[in-house]
Amino acid sequence: MRHAKGGNRHEVRFTRPKIIFFILPVALCTVYVGGCRRAGTWLVKVDVPPHADAMALLMGSFPERVLEAADLYHEGKAGRMLIVNESMGPYRLLESRGAEIIRTTRQAYDAAVDLGVPPDSITMLPGDARSTIDEALAVREYLRETPGIDTILLVSSPAHMRRSAMIFDVALRNLPEPVYVGCSPSSYSSFNPEKWWRRREDIQVVLSEFVKMGSFVLFERKKPGVN
């Protein structure tokens, strides 16, 4: 009987603080893992208005983006396509030595025309764009000089869509007239937002987008001329 009585002293009692101590880490891990799994889908912002005054075809993985832009044009989502001339960078040195270089923007233009977009429906905007910010600023100058445009549709790769919208929202917010920014991620991309962690290329894209997004929010949006 003494041994039985003494054994009661070693019973574990789960008080409220102990329960919270065990449950809280599990809950935080669940939220963290769930959030990471949804990171890819969060990047893919979709917001296609019934009709936009113009669409901005952003440079980068231009084949998949041109295909999406051509589809949108033929569906009547926008009657004008804007393409900002990108920076040639070191390619200019090749040109200076006699090499013939075709700009990515020119390739995008030619591809769009081959896909049935009339040449007079494509506007090539001057610029030396090195980033999405540069493209947004070039589009802003075009909108300042072109009255009557109150809706613009961005066309880009799926993972690039959220950051592009953020950049254009900031760049266009101080125009004389408000401009609504829509988003159409390319359906021709191989990016898998639901299972992005299963493929190395998708992992690299997601991590890169979050780093660039953080840089924009913390530093680049505050630069003169951007906001």
Side-chain angles (χ1 to χ4, degrees):
M1 295 296 293
R2 291 180 180 176
H3 290 291
K5 184 178 180 180
N8 292 335
R9 297 176 182 176
H10 300 287
E11 292 180 356
V12 179
R13 296 183 178 179
F14 288 95
T15 61
R16 180 174 296 180
K18 289 181 179 179
I19 293 174
I20 294 176
F21 177 79
F22 283 107
I23 292 179
L24 184 58
V26 175
L28 291 175
C29 288
T30 302
V31 172
Y32 175 76
V33 172
C36 288
R37 291 170 68 92
R38 290 191 293 270
T41 56
W42 184 78
L43 289 174
V44 187
K45 182 177 182 180
V46 182
D47 181 14
V48 182
H51 181 78
D53 298 305
M55 72 175 86
L57 173 60
L58 305 182
M59 289 294 96
S61 302
F62 84 88
E64 65 187 47
R65 303 179 187 186
V66 171
L67 287 165
E68 181 72 18
D71 287 351
L72 292 169
Y73 177 85
H74 292 304
E75 292 169 7
K77 297 296 184 181
R80 176 152 301 280
M81 183 184 300
L82 308 178
I83 304 176
V84 181
N85 279 310
E86 92 289 5
S87 171
M88 290 292 288
Y91 291 104
R92 295 188 185 280
L93 181 58
L94 291 175
E95 284 187 326
S96 68
R97 297 188 180 185
E100 184 176 351
I101 304 297
I102 301 177
R103 284 177 177 263
T104 303
T105 44
R106 184 66 199 187
Q107 295 180 59
Y109 173 91
D110 291 341
V113 172
D114 290 340
L115 292 173
V117 181
D120 58 2
S121 294
I122 304 175
T123 300
M124 304 293 291
L125 302 183
D128 194 26
R130 298 174 181 270
S131 65
T132 306
I133 295 177
D134 292 339
E135 291 179 294
L137 297 180
V139 171
R140 182 174 69 184
E141 292 307 308
Y142 172 80
L143 295 179
R144 282 177 174 168
E145 299 172 359
T146 310
I149 296 180
D150 60 16
T151 304
I152 189 168
L153 178 59
L154 305 182
V155 182
S156 190
S157 301
H160 182 233
M161 205 75 261
R162 176 75 58 175
R163 181 165 61 91
S164 300
M166 292 174 59
I167 291 172
F168 271 79
D169 283 338
V170 171
L172 305 184
R173 65 185 177 186
N174 290 327
L175 288 172
E177 299 294 332
V179 176
Y180 185 84
V181 178
C183 300
S184 182
S186 176
S187 59
Y188 296 91
S189 172
S190 61
F191 177 69
N192 188 340
E194 287 82 17
K195 298 178 180 179
W196 61 270
W197 62 89
R198 294 188 176 183
R199 204 166 68 109
R200 181 182 65 184
E201 292 81 359
D202 290 351
I203 293 173
Q204 292 173 340
V205 167
V206 169
L207 295 180
S208 174
E209 281 300 318
F210 275 97
V211 169
K212 292 177 181 178
M213 194 177 300
S215 175
F216 175 73
V217 172
L218 295 175
F219 307 108
E220 295 167 323
R221 68 181 299 172
K222 302 175 183 178
K223 291 182 179 180
V226 176
N227 55 16

